[in-house]
Amino acid sequence: MITILFFAKYREQLGLGRMDFTLDTALCVGDLKKRLVSDGGEKWAEVLLADNTLCAVNQTIANDSVEINDGDEVAFYPPVTGG
Amino acid sequence: MHSRVIVQTDDFDVAEECRALANSGRCGAVTQFVGVMRDRNEGDDIAVMELEHYPGMTERSIETIIERASERWPILAATVIHRVGSLLPGAQIVFVGVAAMHRQAAFSACEFIMDYLKSEAPFWKKECKADGTERWVDARDSDGQALSKWRV
């Protein structure tokens, strides 16, 4: 089981801030995005497949090739606008 | 090097933070930056701003930025305080303060920390306009460009 978090605009677009996801096999970030999009449809594609979508695995920035393991925390979020 | 990173809803006292930085041993210079909420953005009057963050990762990413600054300049201490929640125009949003023996390190490290905070630390702003409509603030290209001067 992994935890997936969504922040800011993405949380609102999906109507979801947090979900649990059962890993049946080892996945990388890119695979996870494809799985979520194929399960969820167009709304999820708009969020996860946008050019500027950022991902963090265990609170460290991760690209599509980073591997996800059981117990990990994965977050998807738009470009940051603090300061 | 002593670092202090705080994310909070409450306001902060700039004078108090600067005094604490000045008490760092061997300190000869304290620089500070304070970000303040504007009442207008992109031609619209803004009534309220909502700031969201990623608890845990936000603090870690700012700590990492301070560490990188301390590898480049001989700084003695750095404090970053960033507010979240609902903010009104004129409110203080962020404080970055740096103590060093000499001014150049303090100036440079303060600007470096602020530039990287803006492009890496997971915070998001949503503006509530005076007419009641809301919009998420988009990242600015100029924030990414600001980093180019540090890539040497």
Side-chain angles (χ1 to χ4, degrees), chain A residues 6 11 14 18-20 23 28 32 43 45 53 59-61 65 68 70 72 76-77:
Chain A
F6 304 95
R11 174 173 42 73
L14 298 173
R18 177 191 186 99
M19 66 184 278
D20 292 327
L23 277 190
C28 64
L32 176 64
K43 196 165 65 170
T53 296
Q59 305 190 354
T60 300
I61 286 278
S65 61
I68 299 167
D70 204 37
D72 283 353
F76 293 104
Y77 55 85

Side-chain angles (χ1 to χ4, degrees), chain A residues 5-12 54 56 58-61 73-75 77-83, chain B residues 52-57 60 82 93-94 114 118-126 136-139:
Chain A
L5 306 173
F6 304 95
F7 288 98
K9 186 162 74 176
Y10 294 171
R11 174 173 42 73
E12 289 188 352
L54 297 168
N58 297 328
Q59 305 190 354
T60 300
I61 286 278
E73 177 180 287
V74 180
Y77 55 85
V80 302
T81 55
Chain B
E52 176 177 339
H53 77 302
Y54 181 174
M57 181 170 176
R60 274 178 50 173
H82 202 301
I93 304 171
V94 58
M114 192 57 213
K118 282 200 83 92
S119 68
E120 292 185 0
F123 290 101
W124 302 274
K125 287 181 183 139
K126 184 199 238 178
W136 288 97
V137 175
D138 285 325

Side-chain angles (χ1 to χ4, degrees), chain A residues 20-54:
Chain A
D20 292 327
F21 184 88
T22 304
L23 277 190
D24 36 26
T25 171
L27 280 181
C28 64
V29 169
D31 297 333
L32 176 64
K33 286 182 182 175
K34 285 182 205 148
R35 277 283 300 277
L36 293 171
V37 167
S38 80
D39 292 351
E42 195 175 332
K43 196 165 65 170
W44 289 68
E46 280 172 23
V47 166
L48 296 177
L49 306 182
D51 286 341
N52 54 8
T53 296
L54 297 168

